[in-house]
Every structure is written in C-alpha cells, then in structure tokens.
Amino acid sequence: MSDNAAEQALQYLRDPAVVVGLGAAAVSLAYMATRPEPTPCPVNVKQQSIELSNDNFARRSALTADLVEYLFEDCRTTHEVFLRGASISGDKPCLGQRSSPDGPFEWLSYDEVLERSSCTGSGLLELGCKNVEDDITYIGVYASNKIEWVLVEQACAMYSMVIIPLYDTLGPDSCVYIINQAKMTTVVCDPVKIPLLLERCDKCPTLKNIVKLKGEIKDEDREKAEKCGIKIIEYDDLEKMGKENKHEKKLPGAKDLAVVCYTSGTTGNPKGAMISHGNIISMLSGLVILIQKCGIQVDNNDVHISYLPLAHMYERLAQLLCFMFGGRVGFFGGNIRKIMEDLQELKPTLFISVPRVLNRVYDKVIKEVSGSTVKKFIFNTALSFKKAELERNIIRRNSIWDYLVFKKIQNSLGGRVRFVISGSAPLRDDVMVFLRCALGCIVLEGYGQTETTAASTIQLVGDNTFGHVGPPMPCNKIKLVDVPEMNYFAKDGKGEICFYGYNVFQGYLHEPEKTKEAVDEDGWLHSGDVGEWTENGTLKIIDRKKHIFKLSQGEYIAPEKIEAVYMQCPLVNQVFVYGNSHESCIVCLVVPDEAQIKKWAAKNGCDGDVENLCKNEKVRTAIFNEMIAMGKKEKLYSFQQVKAIYLHPDPFSVDNGLLTPTLKFKRPDITKHFKDTFEEMYRKLQD
C-alpha cells in the first residue's frame, strides 16, 4: 500500500462517524455470534388450549390430556411435599432470615424445621388444641412472614389441624368475626397484634390461648388476658413444652382441610375459603408440569424470597414449589422499602411477584434514563434489539446489551433470577415487554382466585403475545357462560369465567348458601369475571360481571371496564366510576397522577401542591377533556362516558380502607365515603 493510500485509510478511520459505524458493526457481529436458539412453546402456540365439545365447550390445557390431580405418589399433602424436600436436602438450608437488618441470612435446615414443627404441634396439643377425628381444630396465625409462620403451618399439617391466617387489612372487627365463626381457641400472634386482640377479647368467647412470637410479655397484657380467661404463652415455651411432651403424629389425607383462607371481599363479612391438601397439591403439580415443559427445572439450588403475605395462597404455593425440590426460602426483613437490600443479600433464583412491585422496578428505570438524552438513546436502542429477539422467542441475559445496559437492572434483583411469575392483578403490556427484555429470563403472568387455590391460568413460554393470561392450568378446565345483560355469549367466545378441577375449593366455612352462590350444582365455580378466548386458545379478561348496575333509562354499566379505559390517560392515577338506577348518567372520582399533573401545571401556569391543583378548575377541565377523548378513542358509547368528575388528591389504598389487599376497589366503602360528593355532582348536573 502506498503512503498516500495508507494516509487516506488512516484519515478515514479518524472520522467519528466511521468509528461509531465500525463500533456498531462490531457490536452487531458479537451480538449475532452469541445469540442462542429460540425457546419453543411446549405446545402449538396457536392452540394452547383444547375445546371439549362434550362439556359445554369448556377448554383444558394442551399440555396434558387429563386434569392433573398430583405429580408424585408420595406427595399428596403439604406435609408430604415438605418430607420430599427433606429427603433431598436434609441437613441443607431450608428457611432463613436476616440476623439483623443489615446482617447475613441465618438458616434452619430441613431436618431442623421438621423437628421444631413437631415440637410446635405437640405444644399446641398440650395447650388443649384437639385433633380428634370428628372435630376440626383451627389454629389462627396473626403474623408477618417469618420462620415461625412455616413452623406453625407444618405443625398443623403433622397433626391434622387447620391453619387460618389473620391479617391487618381484614380489619379488627373481621378478625373477631373469623375467630368466632371458626370457634378458634388459639392464635399465634406477633407482639404488636396482641393489644388488638385483647381490646376485643370479650367479643371472642372461644379464644383461650395467645402464643406470642418473640419478645417478653408485658405485664399489662398478661393481666388483661387473665381477666378475659386467656392464657398468653411465649412461642419458645410452647416449643419447649412440646419437646418435653411429644405426641404421636396424626397425618392428614388429601381430602382433609389444610387451610381456611379468608377473602376480604369488597362488601360484608369475609368468607372463609376451605382449601384441602388435595386442592393445594393439584395446583402445585399443575404448576410444576407447566414450568418444566417451559424448560424451567427447579432443584435444591433454587432460592425464593418470601415477601408477599403468607396469608394468601399465592405466596404459600411459591414456598411449596421450593420445598418440593429441597430449595431454600429466605424471608425479607419486614420493611418493603428495604427489599432491594434483602434481594442483594439473598440473591434469589425465583421471583414470584405482583404488578405493584414490578411497576416500581420499571418506573425507577424509566425515570433514571429519562434524565439523560444519551442514556435514553442507549436504553431504547438496547430495548429494541432485545424486543427483536423476543419476537423470535430468544430469551437470554448474556448479550452485549445485557452487559452494557441491563446488568444493573438484573443485579437489582440479586443477579440470579431465572424466572418471574406475576399475579394478583393485570400487568401492563409495556412493563411485561420491559421485564422480559431487561431481566433476560422467562416472565409469565397468571390469573386465578383464592377459590382456585391461587392460579387457574398461566402464560406459556414461546408465546410473545400480550394482553392475555394464558391457557388453563393443567389441573383445571375453564368454560365461559352467557351474560346476556352485558351482551356476552359463550357462542361468541365471551362470557363469565367458570372453573372446574382438582384445585377448586371445598366451599365457604359454615356458609352453605354463599357456597351455592359461587359453585353451581355441576361443580363449576363462577368467578364474576368476564373473559374472552383468543385465537390461540388463551384467556383474556375483558370485564367484571359483579359490579354492573343499570341506569334509569335501562342501560347497563360495567364500571371497571370504563375505569380501565380512563386509566390510560397520562394525567390519571386512579378512577372510580359511580352511577345508580335513579340517574341517567355516570360520574366519577379521579385521583390525578402526582408527577404528571405537576408537570402539566408547570407548563400551563398553574401553581400549588396536588391538593390545590385538584381544586383548580383549569386542571379539572384538562383532565376531563383528556378522559372524554380517550373514551371516544376506545369507542365508549355516550352513556358510558362520564358527565362530571371530582378530583381527589389522596390515592385510595389498603391503609385508608378503600382497597382490598389485592388492590381492588372496596366499592361499597368508597360509595359510602363519597356519598355527599356524588350527590353534589348530580345536583350540579341538574342545575
């Protein structure tokens, strides 16, 4: 090469555009060279469920020919699941929690858990808790997630007792109702919950024992308990008593009750869903079959972080999944704001979560990259490459984009998460895409109810479509039933979602009439949700039957459907639609999105905090117009569009009693709380 040609080549290489181009080419080549094979769907992705023509066109999973009752012959109860894990792991870690807020995790082995659970069960019997065949004994647990929670649960499983979780969001009056309905004699309780029980102990005539977890018993609590005829005992003393007075185990069968899980509901007293060992095992077995066929093998190296409430079946199923294969369960420190620190220390491999947690991860990342044009460009470029791979069913976290962009996000969850399941509420499509790209692992969404022992559908790997909750679980089938008043008909693939299978609960405790309302004479559980079958045999949730009401002119309104439309508005955080049969139109409460409304206010010359902005007519008009425009875009009928809105600065929450623990509106409570507001809105419309 001549000197002139060499100089031209060097000059060419000094051009910044060329350098960037060559760099991009190198990145692309490296990217293509390391790209793995696609992850296939375990069934025909266009036929994920099979229609049963001889069963009112119900559908079952395409994964199995028959409904799954159990997976292993020696795992027919929750205790046998734990024994299987113990046979695999024995003296290896099982349950762990941090020794101090910033300390390392300390672990109990499987063998230690079995021994301590046996002592706990024997101690409960020494307290007088019965376990005779014709009398079911209910043991209450009023505590946050911790090792002792599992010890009590396993103790109940060893001695054919039934655990009943109590939790704060039920409210103190509901706790009294549950104790009385179950004729409960014993509650295992966190120290901070004891005063709440003692304040109402005169209303609980059957309550005789409170087992206190950790810490000394206050003299005033002991004196108050004695006046009510209640004995308070330390948990350590209960274990010691059981160790010194061992009782022979009385193991349950598959048909025996394991738990009564009370659902808070949106109105009236809570209902106690009776869930048998067989219900739990079928659900767990169906889940294992599904994830294994999706290429996920759980083993004794897996780690789960327990932070979702153990009072709900969702978290308990996640733990049992680990126990079945001898894995580890570590409990978060109790402060959800510090869960990221717990994740860094524990480094879980399984992450069972809910949208409100996953949304936080998404929002934090988007906020961080939005502050820099360069960061935003790099992030969006990385996301587009990973999206392209997702469309070809390629799931991984070893690409150049993972190392350059997404590794920090993956490390925020500990850096070892292999798969994520989201449940309890719908996950937004954009968040789902982000998670699958950024975490580089399988992320699946499920749907179900307490009455189906948690999930009844879960998405399958290899299906890169969104907006649905997957096909039926292998343990249950699903059919849709006509809802004529809402123009939904099963012949069109739309209707109320109904479940039948081994995971469907046994009914509501001492509530035969409510059981009949939920389960028809053929054994189908009616959910109250309205679904639609997609072309690929998955289920899409499109409406809610339960809360419909009729306007004065005869039109039916499904408020949740309308709320979902308005929730797409950027300025909106929460929407509650209201109407009744005496009015011809609907109105609604709107909680503005604080960040967005402040940003809008700054651009449009409006001053003040959120409370003052909610009183500003200019702000109200802007939000109202945005909602009406969205309603038109989503083709709402005129009678489905709100005619007035009221801006409220404080979000509805579990703490203020306006949301259920699963973040659904307590519609009667909100209606009662804002009764005067609704009346004033209608009055102004008539002026």
Side-chain angles (χ1 to χ4, degrees), residues 636-655:
L636 291 183
Y637 294 113
S638 176
F639 67 86
Q640 293 175 314
Q641 291 270 38
V642 296
K643 297 301 184 282
I645 66 172
Y646 174 81
L647 301 186
H648 186 63
D650 302 318
F652 308 134
S653 68
V654 174
D655 292 337

Side-chain angles (χ1 to χ4, degrees), residues 26-95:
V27 167
S28 296
L29 286 171
Y31 183 75
M32 296 297 290
T34 60
R35 188 174 63 188
E37 291 296 313
T39 303
C41 185
V43 298
N44 182 346
V45 73
K46 295 182 180 179
Q47 191 181 21
Q48 297 179 45
S49 64
I50 306 298
E51 188 176 274
L52 306 171
S53 57
N54 62 343
D55 199 1
N56 292 318
F57 302 102
R59 285 180 173 266
R60 64 162 173 81
S61 171
L63 289 169
T64 55
D66 301 305
L67 297 186
V68 173
E69 185 176 2
Y70 58 90
L71 187 59
F72 303 112
E73 187 65 49
D74 60 348
C75 282
R76 304 295 301 276
T77 68
T78 58
H79 181 57
E80 289 175 346
V81 166
F82 196 87
L83 289 177
R84 185 178 190 276
S87 71
I88 296 170
S89 292
D91 61 354
K92 292 181 180 177
C94 172
L95 300 177

Side-chain angles (χ1 to χ4, degrees), residues 668-680:
D669 292 26
I670 295 174
T671 299
K672 183 179 178 181
H673 187 80
F674 291 95
K675 179 176 179 291
D676 293 341
T677 301
F678 293 132
E679 289 178 354
E680 179 64 19

Side-chain angles (χ1 to χ4, degrees), residues 189-425:
C189 198
D190 273 340
V192 295
K193 314 297 184 190
I194 290 180
L196 296 175
L197 286 181
L198 293 180
E199 284 173 11
R200 295 163 178 82
C201 61
D202 58 325
K203 298 177 182 177
C204 304
T206 62
L207 185 61
K208 302 300 177 188
N209 307 299
I210 293 177
V211 180
K212 181 176 177 293
L213 296 171
K214 305 295 182 186
E216 295 182 2
I217 300 168
K218 295 179 181 178
D219 290 338
E220 58 264 35
D221 287 344
R222 195 186 297 277
E223 290 173 9
K224 191 165 187 176
E226 288 175 357
K227 289 179 181 178
C228 296
I230 294 174
K231 179 181 180 181
I232 301 182
I233 181 174
E234 297 277 0
Y235 184 83
D236 290 346
D237 292 337
L238 177 79
E239 268 196 85
K240 183 179 179 183
M241 188 165 62
K243 188 173 185 178
E244 294 171 352
N245 300 276
K246 277 291 185 73
H247 286 252
E248 185 178 349
K249 293 177 184 176
K250 180 180 180 294
L251 300 177
K255 294 182 179 180
D256 292 325
L257 284 186
V259 58
V260 177
C261 197
Y262 276 82
T263 60
S264 59
T266 56
T267 183
N269 289 319
K271 295 178 291 187
M274 298 185 291
I275 297 172
S276 69
H277 286 273
N279 292 147
I280 295 171
I281 297 306
S282 69
M283 174 73 253
L284 178 62
S285 300
L287 177 61
V288 170
I289 288 171
L290 185 146
I291 63 175
Q292 285 183 344
K293 292 201 173 186
C294 285
I296 305 165
Q297 299 296 324
V298 180
D299 59 32
N300 65 345
N301 294 311
D302 277 303
V303 183
H304 165 66
I305 183 166
S306 177
Y307 69 97
L308 296 176
L310 270 166
H312 302 304
M313 291 309 304
Y314 186 32
E315 171 62 25
R316 307 252 284 294
L317 262 294
Q319 290 199 8
L320 285 169
L321 175 63
C322 268
F323 295 155
M324 179 175 269
F325 297 97
R328 287 182 286 158
V329 174
F331 294 92
F332 85 121
N335 186 346
I336 197 67
R337 293 177 181 174
K338 293 187 175 182
I339 191 171
M340 291 301 176
E341 296 173 21
D342 297 325
L343 287 163
Q344 297 300 312
E345 180 67 23
L346 187 63
K347 295 179 172 52
T349 59
L350 320 177
F351 194 62
I352 310 301
S353 195
V354 292
R356 69 178 181 271
V357 174
L358 298 173
N359 286 343
R360 259 186 235 142
V361 175
Y362 172 79
D363 292 341
K364 184 178 179 181
V365 171
I366 296 302
K367 184 178 179 181
E368 184 176 328
V369 300
S370 296
S372 164
T373 304
V374 175
K375 280 186 178 180
K376 189 174 183 179
F377 172 77
I378 295 172
F379 175 81
N380 287 337
T381 302
L383 201 62
S384 66
F385 271 96
K386 292 295 291 279
K387 279 183 184 178
E389 285 198 335
L390 272 185
E391 290 172 2
R392 295 190 294 274
N393 293 321
I394 293 174
I395 302 169
R396 61 162 173 166
R397 57 182 175 194
N398 65 347
S399 73
I400 190 72
W401 301 111
D402 289 296
Y403 292 113
L404 292 177
V405 178
F406 297 123
K407 187 60 68 177
K408 183 178 178 182
I409 300 169
Q410 294 162 11
N411 288 340
S412 71
L413 298 183
R416 297 200 306 159
V417 173
R418 295 197 296 120
F419 81 94
V420 176
I421 295 180
S422 176
S424 90

